Amino acid sequence: MRLVRSAIYTSGLLALAAALSGSVEIAYLSLFPLLTLAIFMMAGEPGGISVSRSAGKGPYRPGDTVEITVKLEIEKGMGFVLLRQPLPPELELVGGTNVWSVFKGPRKLEKEFKMAVRVPRRGKYVLPKVEVYSEPLFKVGAGGHFAVGDEFVLTVLPLIKPPRRVRTTNTRSSIPIPLTSFSLTGPASTDFKEIREYRPGDPVKSINWKASARKGELLVNEYEREGKKTVMFYVDARREMAVGSFIENPLEYAISLVSSLAYYFLRRGYNVGLYVIGPGELIMPTAGNRQLYAMVKKLMEVELAAGSGESIKDAFNKTERILMQYSPLIVLVSNFLYPEETKMALRSIMKYYRGRPPVIVFDLFPYSMFEGREVELVRLRKKAVENELRGLAHVFMWDVKRSDVTSILARTIRMVR
């Protein structure tokens, strides 16, 4: 209104001057402010605003830098437009800015803006709608403040580190994986099974010439099939794993370890299953790329269940049918502080195996990220827990600040075949 009054006042003065002087030029000039005002009012405030977003090529892993492109389109109006992309507090802006301003002229406006964010850990990060503030030229109109676009989701997968090649001798595995139903599709391993009669189609290299000479007929060596071996992962997501920060804690290291081991076993044709202690989430064991996708997706979504009262024994009881059917290799990952609970749970599954169950316990030690004498006291306590569990399982105490996932994978692969 102030602008309208100003234009009318200016036109009135020019018209008065033209009447007094009799000048036609001044008379025409007196119409210019009103014409300009009319044009601005006809153009209106910026409208038809749309925003779309896209990200660089994935998949994304923890610690990656992701470039996000924001595309703005304004169909009509004239004036100034200010945009702001709110970011989740977990994301770090490392390139560009998330606030932009543009001027919309008489033509349609299309413009792109870029920014870069660092994703700290696995999970889904939701970018809300873009906030827009528009102001018409010379404030002819009300302007507005609103949000446009849809929510944009960044999906960050767990960190998977394929194990480097490990040379192993053809000796008996220190952690043999029990065998279940016969598999014709799994690749042959180096674990000897039996000598049997030759069948059409058997490769010549499998013929045992010495045994054939003694028997007087063709005999071949048969080896165990990897496809009939099963690995069951149990990942603890209870309050014991809530040590450290949102980005760095035992649960994040456990998920990276389990994802990498699952990748290794599935690539070798094993059946692999998962149970998350605390939330009580189960993925039945099977093989193939779809299983890897299902496990990675589940591990990506796992969060701490600090208030859960589920114990390790409860987890074994809920997966009793799997233990009875497959007699799998059990991989248990947690921050163990109380050995009695774990000992009771491990003793409860002996009935599913002949002799000592094949169990690997990964005891995570995250306390090296802190300082003080208390760290060494906790280390001594962990050593005591390790000694108490050693008669029931193969125990690895993993100091997450002194060893990386790759070294732990190499140690595990040397023991399990």
Side-chain angles (χ1 to χ4, degrees):
M1 293 302 297
R2 182 180 298 177
L3 179 62
V4 174
R5 288 196 298 269
S6 177
I8 295 174
Y9 180 72
T10 303
S11 299
L13 290 178
L14 289 173
L16 178 61
L20 294 175
S21 64
S23 171
V24 177
E25 289 82 1
I26 297 177
Y28 284 126
L29 185 62
S30 67
L31 299 176
F32 180 76
L34 292 176
L35 291 174
T36 304
L37 178 63
I39 292 173
F40 290 154
M41 293 185 70
M42 290 177 61
E45 62 187 75
I49 301 175
S50 62
V51 173
S52 61
R53 285 155 294 178
S54 60
K57 187 177 180 181
Y60 313 119
R61 307 290 183 183
D64 285 354
T65 297
V66 182
E67 184 179 73
I68 299 175
T69 301
V70 180
K71 184 177 180 181
L72 169 69
E73 292 185 4
I74 306 178
E75 297 284 347
K76 59 185 180 179
M78 295 178 63
F80 297 93
V81 177
L82 180 68
L83 295 93
R84 175 179 176 270
Q85 172 61 74
L87 296 175
E90 301 85 9
L91 294 183
E92 178 186 1
L93 184 66
V94 296
T97 179
N98 63 328
V99 179
W100 309 276
S101 62
V102 295
F103 172 74
K104 167 66 171 64
R107 295 183 179 181
K108 177 181 177 181
L109 176 67
E110 294 184 359
K111 200 169 184 64
E112 288 187 354
F113 310 96
K114 295 185 182 296
M115 63 178 178
V117 296
R118 181 174 291 117
V119 289
R121 52 162 269 180
R122 46 89 201 172
K124 290 185 178 181
Y125 299 90
V126 179
L127 275 66
K129 297 180 179 181
V130 176
E131 297 176 356
V132 176
Y133 175 76
S134 67
E135 183 175 293
L137 192 62
F138 298 128
K139 296 186 178 181
V140 180
H145 183 235
F146 46 90
V148 295
D150 299 322
E151 291 183 342
F152 185 74
V153 179
L154 284 176
T155 301
V156 183
L157 301 179
L159 182 63
I160 299 178
K161 291 192 175 182
R164 55 176 177 259
R165 181 173 295 180
V166 178
R167 294 183 178 180
T168 57
T169 57
N170 293 330
T171 57
R172 184 176 178 82
S173 173
S174 58
I175 309 180
I177 303 179
L179 307 176
T180 57
S181 58
F182 192 82
S183 170
L184 296 176
T185 59
S189 69
T190 57
D191 297 332
F192 178 76
K193 180 182 179 183
E194 62 180 352
I195 297 176
R196 59 168 175 81
E197 296 179 356
Y198 176 84
R199 300 170 187 162
D202 287 335
V204 176
K205 65 179 182 180
S206 66
I207 297 176
N208 189 323
W209 295 106
K210 290 184 179 180
S212 299
R214 289 194 299 267
K215 187 73 174 178
E217 59 178 317
L218 277 180
L219 300 174
V220 296
N221 294 329
E222 183 170 340
Y223 296 88
E224 303 290 0
R225 296 280 177 172
E226 292 179 348
K228 59 183 173 178
K229 297 181 178 181
T230 302
V231 181
M232 191 68 190
F233 290 96
Y234 292 85
V235 180
D236 197 348
R238 299 172 298 171
R239 64 178 181 273
E240 288 83 351
M241 308 295 274
V243 178
S245 64
F246 171 79
I247 299 173
E248 190 175 10
N249 55 63
L251 182 60
E252 296 305 310
Y253 287 103
I255 287 175
S256 178
L257 174 64
V258 171
S259 301
S260 303
L261 283 174
Y263 172 84
Y264 170 78
F265 285 122
L266 286 169
R267 289 294 297 269
R268 293 176 65 86
Y270 287 25
N271 296 318
V272 177
L274 171 70
Y275 187 87
V276 184
I277 306 173
E281 297 173 341
L282 170 66
I283 295 180
M284 292 292 292
T286 187
N289 291 331
R290 288 187 178 181
Q291 181 71 349
L292 178 62
Y293 172 80
M295 290 191 63
V296 170
K297 183 176 182 297
K298 178 58 64 179
L299 290 170
M300 179 189 69
E301 299 170 350
V302 170
E303 297 295 341
L304 288 168
S308 173
E310 186 177 41
S311 66
I312 299 175
K313 186 178 179 180
D314 293 334
F316 288 157
N317 290 336
K318 291 179 181 179
T319 55
E320 181 179 22
R321 185 167 66 87
I322 297 173
L323 299 178
M324 292 176 62
Q325 179 179 352
Y326 295 96
S327 299
L329 167 69
I330 293 176
V331 179
L332 181 58
V333 186
S334 180
N335 175 22
F336 294 97
L337 297 172
Y338 309 101
E340 290 304 321
E341 177 201 1
T342 310
K343 288 166 64 176
M344 185 184 304
L346 294 178
R347 290 193 182 106
S348 70
I349 62 173
M350 286 184 174
K351 57 187 176 183
Y352 306 119
Y353 299 86
R354 296 177 181 177
R356 175 179 172 178
V359 180
I360 301 177
V361 170
F362 287 100
D363 185 9
L364 275 62
F365 187 84
Y367 302 95
S368 295
M369 65 180 71
F370 306 110
E371 297 181 355
R373 295 178 56 187
E374 294 81 2
V375 175
E376 294 306 316
L377 293 177
V378 176
R379 192 185 300 276
L380 292 175
R381 181 175 180 178
K382 294 282 235 176
K383 285 288 186 181
V385 172
E386 180 180 348
N387 292 333
E388 290 198 43
L389 298 179
R390 196 169 294 280
L392 297 170
H394 297 267
V395 184
F396 290 112
M397 188 171 75
W398 177 21
D399 190 331
V400 297
K401 302 302 289 184
R402 295 184 180 181
S403 303
D404 59 5
V405 174
T406 306
S407 62
I408 298 299
L409 291 175
R411 290 175 59 189
T412 307
I413 293 169
R414 289 191 184 98
M415 298 184 67
V416 180
R417 293 196 306 279

